[in-house]
Amino acid sequence: MINCAGPFATTAAPVIEAALRAGIPYVDVAAEIEANADTFRNFADRARAAGALIVPAMAFYGGLGDLLASAAMGHWSAADEAHVAYGLSGWHPTAGTRAAGAVSGRRRAGRRVRYRNGRLEYHDDDLPTLEWPFPGPTGPRAVVGEFTMADVVTIPSHLSIPDVRTYMTVEAARDLLAPETPAPVPVDERGRSAQTFLVDVVVRSGGTERRAVASGRDIYAVTAPLAVEAVARILTGRTRAVGVASAGEVFDAPGFLRALSPHICLEPSP
């Protein structure tokens, strides 16, 4: 079962219930932080006991960052912090993105969320603007710090990292927050928009740093290959976990990323 019908705060639980009753694996493309946290909290024990597999956030946000962080970790069993910086050229949100954002905003009562000291916390602090050293050809860009995405649920669900932070380029954050920003428009034969992205993931332990980077075009166009590759691996038994598990836990992260080569470029290959 591939659930693409957000907002997932409404749809994830009943569809997971149906998948458990039917005895079939479940994958969704949720980017909603609270909805993903609910899936781990409410279904982990039942799914594990049933030997079922539930993979939330198998999408650009939550899935890709988790795979990159898992690949960067390599043989490390723990790290001090993980940073996921999104270098988007801009962001024309779909109607689904806007609907999911509205639901998340209501659940948070207007507050912001971050992952610190091993847990999600809500706050009213202003979001800082800083410069992130994206690798070339993007180069250093201004980003909004604490622009928290679903990676703060997926990464620490299986990696021992108490501090996970995500960042968004200022232009993309401004586009998303502006109500007049139009939806994306296809500009090529594959239906992709002109948007480009670079996801820069850094994990740090002590004084050592490891990095994994992926780039490509159209964040929405990458979600479908992520979900389909996940299903292909589930159906052919190439999995490493049962229960509720994120992409980096259930799949071989370097191999999964290499399989996405028609859709993303790895710089360098993890």
Side-chain angles (χ1 to χ4, degrees):
M1 170 66 74
I2 306 177
N3 183 6
C4 306
F8 294 90
T10 301
T11 67
V15 179
I16 291 171
E17 293 279 4
L20 287 172
R21 288 195 302 271
I24 59 175
Y26 168 94
V27 173
D28 72 32
V29 296
E32 298 161 46
I33 293 169
E34 289 81 7
N36 286 314
D38 287 347
T39 296
F40 278 97
R41 180 172 55 252
N42 297 333
F43 292 99
D45 292 342
R46 287 176 55 194
R48 190 180 306 111
L53 182 58
I54 296 170
V55 187
M58 197 64 244
F60 180 82
Y61 293 118
L64 181 57
D66 182 39
L67 288 164
L68 290 167
S70 300
M73 285 281 285
H75 68 273
W76 284 358
S77 60
D80 299 323
E81 54 193 49
H83 302 262
V84 184
Y86 289 100
L88 273 57
S89 60
W91 189 351
H92 287 236
T94 63
T97 294
R98 291 203 180 278
V103 170
S104 294
R106 289 194 294 271
R107 292 190 68 173
R108 298 172 194 167
R111 296 173 297 166
R112 299 182 176 96
V113 63
R114 60 192 171 201
Y115 189 83
R116 292 287 182 277
N117 301 312
R119 64 183 181 88
L120 290 174
E121 61 182 37
Y122 292 85
H123 66 96
D124 296 305
D125 300 344
D126 291 334
L127 300 184
T129 299
L130 56 143
E131 185 175 83
W132 184 266
F134 290 103
T138 300
R141 295 274 299 276
V143 297
V144 179
E146 306 284 1
F147 200 95
T148 306
M149 307 305 290
D151 312 279
V152 302
V153 176
T154 55
I155 290 173
S157 73
H158 68 106
L159 297 176
S160 181
I161 306 177
D163 189 349
V164 180
R165 308 186 185 206
T166 62
Y167 310 81
M168 183 65 65
T169 43
V170 167
E171 299 88 346
R174 187 183 302 124
D175 285 345
L176 176 66
L177 297 175
E180 67 274 10
T181 303
V185 176
V187 297
D188 69 9
E189 69 283 355
R190 293 168 59 183
R192 298 179 302 177
S193 73
Q195 178 196 50
T196 60
F197 65 82
L198 188 150
V199 185
D200 187 15
V201 176
V202 175
V203 293
R204 293 176 180 146
S205 179
T208 304
E209 177 179 289
R210 290 178 173 175
R211 176 178 245 156
V213 182
S215 61
R217 183 168 164 184
D218 192 336
I219 63 173
Y220 296 109
V222 171
T223 288
L226 279 160
V228 170
E229 180 66 22
V231 169
R233 287 171 180 257
I234 291 169
L235 295 179
T236 53
R238 291 175 289 165
T239 57
R240 306 190 300 188
V242 295
V244 180
S246 63
E249 180 180 13
V250 73
F251 304 116
D252 165 53
F256 195 110
L257 290 165
R258 287 192 295 270
L260 295 175
S261 59
H263 311 283
I264 64 171
C265 295
L266 301 177
E267 310 167 5
S269 177

